Amino acid sequence: MQKPVNGFSKFSKEEKIDWVAQNFSKNPQTTKKILRTYWNSNEELQKIHDEFIENTLTNYYLPFAVAPNFMINQQMYTIPMAIEESSVVAAAGNAAKFWSTRGGFKASILGTEKIGQVHFMFKGDANKLETLFNTIKPQFFIDTETITKNMKKRGGGITSIELRNKTEELQNYYQLHCTFETLDAMGANFINSCLEQFAKTLERESEKVDLDIEVVMSILSNYVQNCVVKAEVSCRISDDKSPSSISKNFADKIIQAVAIAKAEPYRAVTHNKGVMNGIDAVVLATGNDFRAIEAGVHAYAAKDGKYSSLTHAKIENDTFYFWIEVPLALGTVGGLTSLHPLVKLALEILQQPTAKELMQIIAVAGLAQNFAALRSLVTTGIQKGHMKMHLLNLLNQAGADEQEKKQLVAHFKDREISNAAVAEALQNLRK
Ligand code: MEV
């Protein structure tokens, strides 16, 4: 059994690598070599990566790709994506192209409100607490002035502070429910700093009037149901096969697929996973917090009491509409945006978007991805396109060299691809 290690974070990088190699590897030299292979030869750049987190041993690569031809609100975008799943970028590119001849994507912001809460316990008279809150409310703003000064100058800041009695949900439980406008910043540090000051103010002021308040914690919420963006595509229904329309049969199939995801949570989770293929890839490429986005989006998908589809579809007046509404709390300044060279580049490729523009772009990536998945699912099935994109992975796994890969890619152009079929074809080729 592995022995506990003391003071690991104080070890040098070399010592940490030695420790991992000695304890977990049959071949320590190979382990060390793998870890070093992924170091960046530019020491300054490597140091930036080392310092992102504690105990960094090496870098963990994901492919960084772009999906071109996205027309959003009449402007063309090439969207950077960081993801390992073989078919996602190709699917995004296909959906972008498909909709570029059908009016492109439209996107709009429905809200940008961020939320944070101070959670506390109070056993006394709720009316006295309310009176105290109303008296000291201006003090919360005054005590956070140094934190909010710059944000206010730019037009953001604290937008509301509310006392909420939650004792019906949990005995003695109250909260300060606070909202914020953080403009182009994701705002986590700003919000948490404000909240921690609110907690101090609340404790100080309640002590003065002998109210016994016990603050439990102060933290932002990743459930941002009023920081929401809508993205939409629409086009004429017609069987004339023109590049600006889609057939009634195809539109009906998409609508049925969405209806199934609304009715059936087992399907909704996978349906939304497809949406998140697009969303997460751009969130990651632009240095945003994909765990926060995932948590918030799935909570939103269950907001009506049942986990459901994030996308919607209908036909109205011979027009097909397909749209998404998602909460996306994003930043285009702060965080990794000025530190990680690829994040900087991703934002450059997107023409330095504001947070609102990035919300629109990312919602479009999610909608496009869902459309591409549904289009395959209701027509050819998902495996045809998926396995085509996965073929190079299978060939690499099977150890094919460049020449063999070329020949087998041609061989599988019109054939069904599977693990077994690839192994057999490679064997035949080598005979
Ligand atoms: C695979 O990563 C995503 C899909 O399963 C999404 C879907 O089923 O809608 C294809």
Side-chain angles (χ1 to χ4, degrees):
M1 201 175 63
Q2 186 197 319
K3 284 199 220 100
V5 53
N6 289 324
F8 185 73
S9 65
K10 304 275 180 324
F11 288 11
S12 71
K13 189 168 167 186
E14 286 294 343
E15 287 167 338
K16 287 173 190 163
I17 289 175
D18 279 345
W19 185 84
V20 169
Q22 295 305 333
N23 281 285
F24 304 104
S25 175
K26 286 198 185 81
N27 189 340
Q29 287 316 318
T30 311
T31 299
K32 288 186 199 178
K33 197 169 156 215
I34 293 172
L35 291 171
R36 290 206 185 99
T37 305
Y38 284 87
W39 281 355
N40 200 295
S41 54
N42 176 338
E43 279 179 26
E44 221 174 291
L45 187 61
Q46 185 54 54
K47 195 156 181 327
I48 292 175
H49 284 73
D50 288 350
E51 289 174 358
F52 281 147
I53 57 171
E54 194 169 78
N55 299 341
T56 307
L57 305 181
T58 190
N59 308 308
Y60 185 95
Y61 291 178
L62 275 182
F64 177 96
V66 288
N69 299 322
F70 273 92
M71 185 153 86
I72 307 175
N73 296 339
Q74 298 305 315
Q75 203 180 323
M76 290 307 288
Y77 288 92
T78 291
I79 300 188
M81 302 177 102
I83 191 160
E84 87 301 342
E85 190 173 328
S86 18
S87 52
V88 168
V89 177
N94 287 342
K97 204 128 196 223
F98 182 94
W99 286 105
S100 66
T101 58
R102 293 168 173 86
F105 295 83
K106 292 179 197 78
S108 55
I109 301 294
L110 305 183
T112 56
E113 178 190 275
K114 312 272 170 66
I115 291 170
Q117 298 168 318
V118 178
H119 305 272
F120 64 96
M121 298 296 174
F122 174 64
K123 291 188 184 143
D125 181 346
N127 292 325
K128 282 192 183 157
L129 181 63
E130 203 178 322
T131 309
L132 171 72
F133 172 74
N134 290 330
T135 320
I136 67 170
K137 198 170 167 185
Q139 200 60 43
F140 291 120
F141 291 90
I142 294 166
D143 288 355
T144 45
E145 257 165 13
T146 46
I147 308 169
T148 57
K149 201 168 88 196
N150 286 340
M151 190 65 89
K152 275 206 287 210
K153 260 193 225 152
R154 283 182 267 132
I158 304 158
T159 46
S160 72
I161 307 173
E162 225 182 88
L163 171 69
R164 288 194 176 172
N165 182 333
K166 305 291 282 184
T167 52
E168 281 191 10
E169 283 95 333
L170 179 67
Q171 209 181 9
N172 306 328
Y173 171 38
Y174 292 81
Q175 58 182 227
L176 297 182
H177 184 95
C178 315
T179 60
F180 302 85
E181 172 53 69
T182 61
L183 306 165
D184 286 336
M186 195 269 186
N189 286 330
F190 171 77
I191 294 171
N192 289 334
S193 300
C194 288
L195 293 170
E196 288 185 4
Q197 180 55 55
F198 294 163
K200 281 187 198 146
T201 303
L202 181 66
E203 278 170 332
R204 185 190 69 220
E205 297 299 322
S206 58
E207 227 177 271
K208 283 187 196 161
V209 290
D210 272 342
L211 289 190
D212 192 10
I213 275 166
E214 186 196 341
V215 172
V216 180
M217 58 191 162
S218 311
I219 188 74
L220 66 74
S221 170
N222 291 122
Y223 185 35
V224 282
Q225 82 275 36
N226 293 321
C227 184
V228 175
V229 51
K230 178 178 179 185
E232 181 185 56
V233 284
S234 61
C235 72
R236 208 165 44 89
I237 299 288
S238 160
D239 288 323
D240 64 7
K241 293 203 163 66
S242 87
S244 62
S245 67
I246 61 172
S247 73
K248 169 87 168 61
N249 181 42
F250 176 55
D252 282 341
K253 282 257 164 67
I254 298 276
I255 290 169
Q256 278 165 356
V258 172
I260 289 170
K262 288 188 183 204
E264 167 56 61
Y266 281 97
R267 173 58 201 149
V269 172
T270 315
H271 178 98
N272 290 346
K273 188 274 183 186
V275 171
M276 299 314 288
N277 277 343
I279 290 185
D280 280 339
V282 193
V283 167
L284 210 53
T286 56
N288 277 282
D289 180 345
F290 63 91
R291 288 85 56 209
I293 297 297
E294 282 281 343
V297 168
H298 294 297
Y300 193 76
K303 71 180 187 324
D304 298 324
K306 177 181 170 189
Y307 191 89
S308 183
S309 168
L310 291 162
T311 57
H312 313 273
K314 67 176 180 189
I315 295 176
E316 217 171 75
N317 301 327
D318 288 332
T319 303
F320 169 73
Y321 295 91
F322 182 57
W323 72 101
I324 188 169
E325 271 181 35
V326 263
L328 292 173
L330 300 167
T332 53
V333 297
L336 279 193
T337 55
S338 58
L339 283 177
H340 198 301
L342 281 175
V343 168
K344 274 198 227 172
L345 178 65
L347 293 171
E348 220 169 278
I349 293 171
L350 289 173
Q351 302 155 56
Q352 306 296 358
T354 60
K356 283 183 182 170
E357 283 160 351
L358 189 59
M359 284 169 78
Q360 297 179 350
I361 292 162
I362 292 183
V364 163
L367 184 70
Q369 206 63 45
N370 183 233
F371 177 78
L374 296 185
R375 186 181 178 205
S376 296
L377 286 167
V378 302
T379 55
T380 58
I382 204 75
Q383 282 307 82
K384 189 164 180 257
H386 187 76
M387 291 311 275
K388 188 171 153 223
M389 296 310 301
H390 196 49
L391 178 59
L392 282 178
N393 289 340
L394 294 179
L395 290 168
N396 284 334
Q397 265 165 25
D401 64 25
E402 287 310 307
Q403 186 56 29
E404 289 168 337
K405 279 198 245 176
K406 216 166 151 188
Q407 282 174 272
L408 289 175
V409 166
H411 170 84
F412 279 108
K413 202 156 186 263
D414 308 308
R415 288 183 171 82
E416 200 161 306
I417 302 165
S418 69
N419 255 325
V422 167
E424 195 184 319
L426 186 59
Q427 215 174 32
N428 288 340
L429 191 70
R430 285 177 175 175
K431 261 184 198 158

